[in-house]
Amino acid sequence: MSKKASEIAEKFIRDYKDAINLEKTYNETDEEKVKVHQVSSKVAFLYEKLRNAVDYQEEHLLRKIAIERILKRRLMTEKNELDVSKFLINELIRARYLPNEKIPEKRIEEIKEIIEKYTLLINNIPEAVKENNIDNEYLFNWIIGIAACEIEEKIAPYKKENAIIEFAQKIIDEKLKVPEKLMSEEDRKIQIYIAVLRNLIKSDLSLIEYRLFERKHPEWFFAPSEELIINMAKNINVFIGDIEKQINDPLGENFSKFVKKNLAYFTIMEDAVRKNINNIDKIFSHHLHIEDAIKESCVKKYKEAKTKLKRAAIRSIIYIFTTKMVLAFILELPFDKYIIGHINYIALGINIIFPPLLMFLVVVTIKVPSKRNTELIVQGIKEMVYGKYASSPFIMKGILHRSSFFYKIFKFFYVIVFFASFGIIIFLLKQLHFNIMSIGLFLFFLSVVSYFGIRIRQNARELVVVKRKEGIITFATDLFSIPILRMGQWLSTKLSNINVFVFIFDFIIEAPFKTFVEVFEEWIYYIKEERDKIY
């Protein structure tokens, strides 16, 4: 017996169809395409691989991050926005973030107009605004981050992402209710939007800021007048403050937790639609066809998750091993030799081998989701498609207030567990004659690798909807591992801005290297022209 899909589901399917059609035809034109030489492209692509190996980022963010890097570098050296646009497109094609001979020349002019808009914004920010609680570097980076997102969307429209974002928003809106005393209806919708961006689309901070800026100030993205741009410049600190307030809302984590519980449904739903887009009407004409499509997508996504997991683990292991080797030669060996007087090869070996081994164990112990998990996903997606849910909407509760008596007790107990966790580890390392430097490095990498490992495992667990079994062993593991994970989270957040390897690549190697690639490519074309004159 067939059932009719809900309006929300039907709109998602229509929007996704349109997005795929746009993706196919977006760059189809008789206009001249941007072309770079294959030899220079191979050199630039190798550089990007090396650079990305020392800066762990989500794969889908690499192009956007590359645009940010190029913009920062080019805007400091080039005054002509058209030149910046040309260099930007060429660099992205050489690094294979864009296909060669597929991007029409008109994109250069379109991106030039975007860059002009943002340079005008930067140049018209009053000094009083710059001095008012926002430092110049932060302000510049914030604006460049927004510009990079707009440029990427112009190059490769976010239409598919927009379709699944809108669908997820509407579903979460139906399944999650928040009492008015906790927040207004408008704020609730914004928090749902942020949670979907952060967890489903895996947006980084600048992409979330861009999306919120786009939502709050749509006039900015439709050929704004010079007067509007100047007015935006005068009030930029107000706009940034408003967006930061929404991103840092104390209840934001509660929204994220709820969205995470529904990630598997949205991920599989999108895959099933994409895979059957040419036959989508038939698939959604009967609930049995939907079930078959969902089950096929589950099998496919389980395999893809395992592959992505291995790839992410390899990148993490390379980054961790490289960092550890450098720190061993810069800090640990000199400290052992000149301060302690001898080298503890056992401690040195453990510190070098343990971090990548721990990451390896994290990956190999992850299991493929069960058949029961697939059945629950089928049930959950059918509820979304037909708009009929087996359970009532979830009512969000507030957060435990920091001034409450229980909060202080829990905090005190957490501090005790924190010192107990690290104290036990330090005691065991002391038995192996680790010195203070070796202990510090071991704890540093234990925390960071554990946090990286949990993040990678979480990517795999996003397809799991079966509730985790809680027991005494699980409780004890969580109790003593949370302090280590918290420390890893803090270190990865605080130290990401001072990654020595990234600094060397971005500020010492990249500018002269990219200049060399450009000159090298011009030389190749010159030789080709001279050869053509002879033959």
Side-chain angles (χ1 to χ4, degrees), residues 175-205:
K175 298 177 70 174
L176 176 63
K177 302 302 176 184
V178 181
E180 289 185 7
K181 64 180 181 179
L182 290 181
M183 64 170 48
S184 67
E185 180 64 15
E186 176 61 24
D187 286 341
R188 183 183 75 93
K189 290 183 180 298
I190 291 175
Q191 287 305 313
I192 290 174
Y193 185 53
I194 293 172
V196 169
L197 292 175
R198 184 175 281 147
N199 299 284
L200 180 59
I201 309 301
K202 300 294 185 296
S203 301
D204 65 358
L205 182 59

Side-chain angles (χ1 to χ4, degrees), residues 367-429:
K367 299 178 181 178
V368 175
S370 64
K371 183 179 178 182
R372 174 60 179 161
N373 189 76
T374 302
E375 292 172 354
L376 289 175
I377 289 176
V378 170
Q379 179 185 333
I381 291 178
K382 285 171 66 179
E383 289 180 1
M384 289 180 178
V385 169
Y386 298 119
K388 297 179 181 179
Y389 302 100
S391 57
S392 302
F394 178 79
I395 307 298
M396 182 180 289
K397 299 177 181 178
I399 55 177
L400 191 63
H401 201 270
R402 290 179 181 273
S403 61
S404 70
F405 175 72
F406 286 110
Y407 180 85
K408 292 177 181 177
I409 291 178
F410 295 155
K411 197 71 176 175
F412 175 73
F413 183 70
Y414 175 79
V415 171
I416 293 175
V417 174
F418 180 90
F419 283 107
S421 298
F422 283 99
I424 293 170
I425 295 170
I426 292 171
F427 173 78
L428 294 174
L429 295 177

Side-chain angles (χ1 to χ4, degrees), residues 74 298 495:
R74 290 295 182 180
C298 282
L495 299 180

Side-chain angles (χ1 to χ4, degrees), residues 3 55 141 180 198 227 332 339 365 377 437 478 519:
K3 299 179 184 178
D55 183 25
N141 289 339
E180 289 185 7
R198 184 175 281 147
E227 181 183 357
E332 197 166 4
I339 305 299
T365 53
I377 289 176
M437 178 64 72
D478 289 344
V519 173

Side-chain angles (χ1 to χ4, degrees), residues 200-222:
L200 180 59
I201 309 301
K202 300 294 185 296
S203 301
D204 65 358
L205 182 59
S206 65
L207 196 46
I208 295 174
E209 290 167 343
Y210 168 73
R211 292 280 194 169
L212 290 176
F213 189 67
E214 185 180 36
R215 181 185 178 116
K216 290 174 177 290
H217 305 284
E219 68 278 7
W220 175 258
F221 300 91
F222 295 96

Side-chain angles (χ1 to χ4, degrees), residues 250-295:
L251 282 172
E253 185 59 33
N254 291 22
F255 283 90
S256 283
K257 287 177 182 176
F258 188 82
V259 170
K260 284 177 183 177
K261 293 178 181 178
N262 291 273
L263 285 181
Y265 307 124
F266 298 128
T267 302
I268 300 299
M269 172 78 167
E270 182 186 9
D271 185 77
V273 171
R274 180 175 60 249
K275 184 179 177 183
N276 299 282
I277 198 67
N278 296 323
N279 198 28
I280 199 66
D281 293 332
K282 180 182 177 182
I283 294 296
F284 279 81
S285 66
H286 199 282
H287 69 94
L288 292 178
H289 295 323
I290 295 176
E291 289 181 12
D292 290 340
I294 294 169
K295 289 175 181 177

